Amino acid sequence: AQSNPDVIVLLVGVWERMHFIDERYRGRSLGQYRTQVVDRFVDLVTRDGAEVVWVGAPPVRESTASDQLEFLNGVFEQVAEDDERVRYVDGGPVLTTPRGGYVDVATNPDGTRERIRRIDGTHLCPGGAVRLATPVVHLIADRWQIPVGEGWPNQGWRHHVPFDDGDVDCPAVG
């Protein structure tokens, strides 16, 4: 309410999958999850005119969690198809193998290899953050005619992983 944003970017992570495994949520369908949680959230955050860019969570190393995230992403994508206030960006293709599987290290267009996922198999390293942010940045730039800062993917923020253990969890590729 204080900032009155034009756009809200949202990436729901692995904790949201608790709707599948928490006793309080057992028996609820994805349709109920959508109406009771997602649609209410969208109504709340867009009530002053903001739009939502919903980023679908990429697969994680643990296959059951990835399957659950895939189901949730289907709900978020459907909301975007049904609601003009919401746009969906699929986070999977930019952080997976060509077949859609989990990957820790990816090859850049110049042939160098880069760690894109933290050792925990869930969180992103700076290279993964750039890959995931790129389609979001371009969608926002196109939708709101905002110029994209030249060289933003390689600015200093890449060297400041938001955890004290960045060198351990995002080690260089040998």
Side-chain angles (χ1 to χ4, degrees), residues 117-141:
R117 299 302 282 268
R118 293 173 72 89
I119 298 299
D120 67 8
T122 301
H123 296 94
L124 301 177
C125 290
V130 167
R131 287 170 184 260
L132 189 58
T134 297
V136 175
V137 166
H138 290 292
L139 183 148
I140 291 170

Side-chain angles (χ1 to χ4, degrees), residues 2 6 18 44 48 50 58 64 96 99 105 107 119 136 140 151 167:
Q2 294 175 352
D6 292 323
M18 295 312 217
L44 174 70
D48 292 325
T64 299
T96 60
R99 293 186 181 161
V105 175
T107 302
I119 298 299
V136 175
I140 291 170
D167 291 339

Side-chain angles (χ1 to χ4, degrees), residues 98-166:
R99 293 186 181 161
Y102 175 84
V103 64
D104 288 305
V105 175
T107 302
N108 293 317
D110 66 1
T112 60
R113 293 172 33 89
E114 177 177 38
R115 182 167 305 284
I116 61 173
R117 299 302 282 268
R118 293 173 72 89
I119 298 299
D120 67 8
T122 301
H123 296 94
L124 301 177
C125 290
V130 167
R131 287 170 184 260
L132 189 58
T134 297
V136 175
V137 166
H138 290 292
L139 183 148
I140 291 170
D142 291 346
R143 171 75 178 95
W144 284 275
Q145 291 78 48
I146 299 171
V148 176
E150 189 172 330
W152 72 267
N154 297 311
Q155 298 297 320
W157 68 268
R158 285 182 68 102
H159 307 290
H160 301 287
V161 176
F163 305 125
D164 292 335
D165 57 357

Side-chain angles (χ1 to χ4, degrees), residues 41-111:
F41 173 79
V42 170
D43 288 343
L44 174 70
V45 300
T46 62
R47 71 176 176 222
D48 292 325
E51 294 181 31
V52 174
V53 174
W54 207 303
V55 182
V60 295
R61 184 181 298 136
E62 201 268 300
S63 63
T64 299
S66 283
D67 291 344
Q68 293 165 340
L69 289 170
E70 186 177 334
F71 279 112
L72 291 173
N73 287 341
V75 172
F76 308 145
E77 187 172 19
Q78 187 63 53
V79 169
E81 289 176 14
D82 296 344
D83 192 325
E84 64 185 22
R85 302 170 297 177
V86 181
R87 289 171 178 54
Y88 182 79
V89 175
D90 187 355
V94 296
L95 292 170
T96 60
T97 66
R99 293 186 181 161
Y102 175 84
V103 64
D104 288 305
V105 175
T107 302
N108 293 317
D110 66 1

